[in-house]
Amino acid sequence: MKNFVFNLSCFFLLCNGSVLCQTGTHEHDGLFIRMLLGAGYAELVEKNVMGSDLKISGTTVPLRFQLGGEFIKNLIAYGEFGFASQTNPEMEWIGQSGSTSDVSVSVGDLGIGITYYLMPINIYFCLSGLYSSVQLEYNNTKSESEIEFDNINGINVMVGKEWWVGAQWALGVALYGYYSDMNVQTSIEGINYEYFTRNYSIGVMFSATYN
């Protein structure tokens, strides 16, 4: 936890000293706030679950929030957190597959990142390093990991376009790609298990940005 707080603090200290001051119109300066909501496809794979990989795939609904400030001209540094959920996904295990109504997957993360804007066309590129966790519930059995702040285990990339709708506000749309891996713990019939898990997601997100 200390490592994460230190890293996040460094990013904010490196930002422009006038981070709370918006000095221009239709410019990327000062305080930066971006809220994103979208939809996509996600796939989670738990390796070697009782001798076979367990794959869960389907639509996902991601939510992200980024807060930071201008680092250098058109380059934003920020801290962020995100959440994504899957319900009623497809599941494949031991050669059998099908849809199910009693499975849910939740992925959460905290991290730091940067956004660079190509101006004046207002196209941006994002890269974030994340501390991620996942929770899987199936037939009253819960598998979950905890966020470990010792090492970054996730990444999120975005390419987007925004349109100004006010002096400091813009609305936009972006393509995103997400990846994380971690160890997941569960207990089945009183026996504890630990699995290595990979999680992928791609899709579209819509944004509202204040900058």
Side-chain angles (χ1 to χ4, degrees):
M1 181 66 177
K2 291 181 179 179
N3 289 341
F4 172 73
V5 173
F6 175 77
N7 291 338
L8 192 58
S9 299
C10 287
F11 262 82
F12 283 112
L13 288 173
L14 287 172
C15 293
N16 192 305
S18 60
V19 67
L20 298 178
C21 301
Q22 310 301 125
T23 59
T25 298
H26 296 177
E27 294 182 4
H28 295 287
D29 58 358
L31 179 66
F32 172 85
I33 302 173
R34 181 189 285 144
M35 297 157 285
L36 302 112
L37 178 66
Y41 170 83
E43 183 175 293
L44 180 144
V45 178
E46 288 194 354
K47 306 294 291 183
N48 196 27
V49 178
M50 297 183 181
S52 182
D53 292 350
L54 170 65
K55 183 171 75 172
I56 298 174
S57 59
T59 58
T60 185
V61 179
L63 171 70
R64 308 202 72 80
F65 181 81
Q66 300 168 341
L67 173 64
E70 181 187 26
F71 178 41
I72 58 176
K73 185 174 179 61
N74 296 327
L75 180 64
I76 308 295
Y78 56 79
E80 74 171 288
F81 68 85
F83 177 81
S85 63
Q86 286 178 269
T87 55
N88 304 331
E90 295 284 325
M91 187 170 69
E92 182 178 336
W93 187 46
I94 318 180
Q96 303 296 318
S97 62
S99 60
T100 178
S101 60
D102 54 1
V103 172
S104 66
V105 179
S106 302
V107 179
D109 56 69
L110 292 168
I112 51 180
I114 56 174
T115 289
Y116 181 74
Y117 281 92
L118 294 178
M119 298 300 290
I121 56 177
N122 222 16
I123 290 176
Y124 65 84
F125 303 89
C126 286
L127 175 63
S128 301
L130 305 169
Y131 302 90
S132 304
S133 67
V134 65
Q135 178 175 291
L136 167 64
E137 292 189 51
Y138 170 63
N139 196 24
N140 298 320
T141 298
K142 182 184 293 186
S143 305
E144 58 185 342
S145 66
E146 296 181 354
I147 290 183
E148 298 181 359
F149 293 103
D150 294 333
N151 61 291
I152 290 175
N153 64 343
I155 187 172
N156 189 70
V157 295
M158 295 192 300
V159 178
K161 163 70 176 174
E162 291 180 341
W163 295 268
W164 295 105
V165 294
Q168 312 296 343
W169 281 98
L171 299 179
V173 61
L175 300 176
Y176 80 89
Y178 171 89
Y179 170 83
S180 64
D181 58 48
M182 65 206 79
N183 291 316
V184 176
Q185 298 80 37
T186 188
S187 179
I188 301 175
E189 297 182 351
I191 302 176
N192 295 325
Y193 297 91
E194 183 172 315
Y195 308 110
F196 181 74
T197 300
R198 290 191 175 98
N199 186 40
Y200 312 82
S201 180
I202 57 173
V204 177
M205 301 193 80
F206 299 94
S207 64
T209 302
Y210 176 83
N211 191 208

